[in-house]
Amino acid sequence: ASVDPDPLGIQQGTFDITFSKPMETSGLPSLSFHDVRQGTVETVAAVNQAVTSLALDAYGRVWAGTSEGAKVFDGENWTAYNTGNSGLNSNEIAGIFGASNGDVWFTTSTDPANNNVVTRLAGEEWKQYNVDSFLCGWSSAIGEDAQGNIWFGGWCGVGRLSVTGWKKFTTEDGLLSNE
């Protein structure tokens, strides 16, 4: 099945990321979306939230990771996801990646007990994967290769999820470092 690269027509808007002034530590970055079609400006993440990642999924939706969960723009509205209404293991989003098959992947960073979990949203279904054996802590590196395998970079190696399952790569496999 092919995916329309812009089914929602959101290329007609812009994101504005506002950073705190130099040497000012009281303000975190904020993220606003300026919708040219509707002539509106909507704040995605308030100043008290850290915007940690941005991603575009296969359906043209824009995802923003914040310190209070993930938010997605469907072309008209923003929807917020957090531990209370989704399968996320933490509200501290470190990385988001939109895979070519429509799945959206999340890594989180907060409680050490929860750091070694990645979460996949496939349609309406949330699934968590324990990746303690290769992430060993916080990671925001997520990617996809030409075969549709999903890759994660962590503090003690790299992990790949393929149709045959998970595989860990380390210096023993040719990496220069496990960090």
Side-chain angles (χ1 to χ4, degrees), residues 19-101:
F19 295 93
S20 62
K21 296 176 184 170
M23 305 303 290
E24 181 181 310
T25 60
S26 62
L28 294 171
S30 64
L31 175 66
S32 299
F33 182 72
H34 300 254
D35 190 328
V36 174
R37 295 168 300 140
Q38 297 179 22
T40 59
V41 176
E42 185 168 346
T43 299
V44 179
V47 175
N48 64 344
Q49 296 175 311
V51 178
T52 55
S53 55
L54 292 172
L56 188 65
D57 71 15
Y59 303 105
R61 298 176 300 185
V62 178
W63 290 84
T66 75
S67 57
E68 295 183 7
K71 298 181 181 188
V72 61
F73 183 68
D74 66 6
E76 294 184 17
N77 300 299
W78 288 95
T79 302
Y81 294 102
N82 56 49
T83 56
N85 67 357
S86 73
L88 290 170
N89 68 307
S90 168
N91 290 331
E92 296 277 343
I93 305 300
I96 301 177
F97 180 76
S100 61
N101 67 355

Side-chain angles (χ1 to χ4, degrees), residues 132-165:
D132 187 50
S133 65
F134 64 85
L135 283 185
C136 303
W138 181 87
S139 170
S140 62
I142 313 170
E144 179 178 20
D145 65 23
Q147 290 75 40
N149 299 313
I150 304 298
W151 292 79
F152 299 88
W155 287 1
C156 56
V158 173
R160 178 189 70 200
L161 176 62
S162 67
V163 293
T164 59

